[in-house]
Amino acid sequence: MVEVKFVVNAPAKQVFEVLADGWLYTNWVVGASHIRDVDAGWPEVGTRIHHSVGLWPMTIDDTTEVLAVDPPRLLELRARLWPVGMAAIRLELSGDETTTEIRMTEEITGGPGRMLPEAAQALMLAPRNTESLSRLADLVLGRAA
């Protein structure tokens, strides 16, 4: 499991508002390139974002599904990128009324990527996820401005 943390100068409620807008997913998730649809009720358990990954015209269409949610503190997702693999992602928000620590954990749970040693997964996922959280923080602060 790969874990990264990022601190944003905003309350968890504001961070979660960005997570709860499925149409913003490609604005903060590194690698996601296009949203095709967002299920009504996102981010309720079982709802999905239908997205594409990669650079056009070499994109793969797949989905990310909500496994658990506890606004404004927790969002657990299953991201698919078949046939490459599948990942479990957990976003935990903690802090006070002015600052939120975002803790993101990701584990490859299916497909060939699961065969990679944890150290190799960390080399691949930690920089990507740190950048994703930086983008998420920028969206939060931009919406608040």
Side-chain angles (χ1 to χ4, degrees), residues 27-129:
N27 291 335
W28 67 272
V29 175
V30 172
S33 59
H34 176 72
I35 300 295
R36 300 185 322 278
D37 194 20
V38 177
D39 288 356
W42 173 271
E44 294 172 3
V45 172
T47 59
R48 297 180 296 167
I49 295 174
H50 306 263
H51 56 79
S52 302
V53 176
L55 298 173
W56 183 90
M58 306 287 285
T59 59
I60 298 172
D61 291 345
D62 227 320
T63 60
T64 294
E65 179 182 359
V66 177
L67 300 178
V69 62
D70 183 16
R73 297 290 175 196
L74 173 73
L75 183 61
E76 288 186 15
L77 306 169
R78 176 177 33 240
R80 294 176 38 95
L81 181 58
W82 212 252
V84 176
M86 192 177 336
I89 300 157
R90 183 178 175 97
L91 295 150
E92 295 176 86
L93 310 178
S94 60
D96 56 33
E97 290 302 313
T98 60
T99 305
T100 301
E101 180 182 80
I102 309 165
R103 179 176 171 249
M104 180 179 188
T105 55
E106 183 170 1
E107 179 178 15
I108 299 174
T109 58
R114 191 176 55 158
M115 304 296 194
L116 289 172
E118 189 171 326
Q121 290 183 34
L123 283 173
M124 198 172 56
L125 295 175
R128 173 188 171 268
N129 291 351

Side-chain angles (χ1 to χ4, degrees), residues 6-18:
F6 200 90
V7 175
V8 59
N9 293 321
K13 180 179 183 280
Q14 288 180 354
V15 176
F16 198 86
E17 286 172 359
V18 173

